[in-house]
Amino acid sequence: MSEKEAAKWMIQMANAVQYGHEAGIIHRDLKPQNILMQQSSDGETQRPVVLDFGLCANTDSTVATTTRIAGTPRYIAPEQAMFGNRQITPKSDLYSLGVMLYQMLTGTTPLTPDNFAEAVLMLHHSPIDGPKKHRPDLSDAMQAICLKCLRRDPDLRYESAGALEADLQRFLSDQPVEARAPSIAERFGYELYHGSLEKTFGWAIIGINLFTWAWAASGGLLV
């Protein structure tokens, strides 16, 4: 799908999601299967319609608190993939829109968890490749828009689905977009932190295995 075509589809989806947010509805399960392509009355055009509000959170504020993981592993936001109490906001839906935009542009999702356990690990510890890695001809502006939706920190995403829609409109008009891709320092800082964390766990596992071997060799029994 071309960048312009993807932008046009996403503008309509973002508009629908913004309408829901203004009504106090957070969808929580945005994915391609929940988008219906509706034929126009003239039969010449189609428009996306958001479906399946079975997991939606109804809230009079901008935050919904939940204690269970809900949604679809490849499309949920990092804050949805947490154990215990978690706060879901309209920006959680923005992450899901970003996943769908990424998929329209590249044919794949940024991460590929098959279940919630994998989603928890990947969403909090696996780096996300820019869509240009899968599609080198992609413009920097579109990559920046996509990655802004996919920031792990909700505060670094667009302020609203309406803001995403506005930036996509700027893209279609060949105007400078507001989105900026994560800086090298930000990406390096994230990799350094999580790389160190993974090494720490790795050495801990090695230590436990060595202790177990030594204990067994000395006649000990672990049950």
Side-chain angles (χ1 to χ4, degrees):
M1 182 181 292
S2 72
E3 293 182 55
K4 298 283 188 181
E5 188 177 3
K8 290 176 182 177
W9 286 121
M10 185 52 61
I11 282 172
Q12 296 183 70
M13 284 187 265
N15 181 270
V17 170
Q18 178 65 26
Y19 181 84
H21 290 169
E22 290 175 356
I25 298 173
I26 304 171
H27 192 284
R28 295 205 302 168
D29 194 24
L30 291 170
K31 57 185 177 181
Q33 292 88 336
N34 286 339
I35 305 295
L36 172 70
M37 304 309 295
Q38 186 178 69
Q39 200 79 16
S40 63
S41 56
D42 59 16
E44 295 183 0
T45 59
Q46 291 182 319
R47 68 184 182 93
V49 178
V50 179
L51 302 175
D52 193 357
F53 288 82
L55 294 178
C56 74
N58 295 291
T59 174
D60 294 329
S61 65
T62 58
V63 178
T65 301
T66 180
T67 57
R68 68 187 183 97
I69 299 177
T72 302
R74 296 193 183 197
Y75 297 91
I76 58 175
E79 61 271 21
Q80 290 177 262
M82 296 174 63
F83 296 110
N85 288 333
R86 62 191 66 82
Q87 290 188 329
I88 309 302
T89 73
K91 291 189 177 186
S92 303
D93 284 345
L94 276 174
Y95 187 94
S96 301
L97 288 175
V99 174
M100 288 193 287
L101 178 59
Y102 192 108
Q103 189 172 18
M104 283 192 287
L105 294 167
T106 68
T108 187
T109 54
L111 299 172
T112 56
D114 291 322
N115 52 58
F116 286 127
E118 291 181 3
V120 170
L121 290 174
M122 289 186 180
L123 284 166
H124 294 284
H125 298 289
S126 297
I128 290 178
D129 292 322
K132 291 186 75 166
K133 181 172 182 178
H134 303 281
R135 186 173 171 178
D137 65 326
L138 203 68
S139 68
D140 290 338
M142 180 54 76
Q143 169 150 289
I145 290 173
C146 196
L147 290 178
K148 187 171 180 64
C149 294
L150 296 173
R151 298 300 293 265
R152 281 184 168 87
D153 183 349
D155 291 338
L156 297 179
R157 297 173 202 154
Y158 284 101
E159 283 302 311
S160 65
L164 167 60
E165 178 186 353
D167 223 11
L168 288 167
Q169 291 284 11
R170 281 188 282 272
F171 173 80
L172 287 179
S173 301
D174 295 320
Q175 298 176 5
V177 300
E178 291 187 355
R180 295 291 180 270
S183 67
I184 294 176
E186 287 176 310
R187 294 184 69 85
F188 177 75
Y190 176 84
E191 297 295 340
L192 181 63
Y193 171 76
H194 286 282
S196 299
L197 191 64
E198 288 166 1
K199 287 177 183 176
T200 299
F201 280 120
W203 282 113
I205 291 171
I206 291 173
I208 291 171
N209 287 335
L210 287 173
F211 171 77
T212 302
W213 175 83
W215 182 274
S218 64
L221 179 65
L222 294 177
V223 294

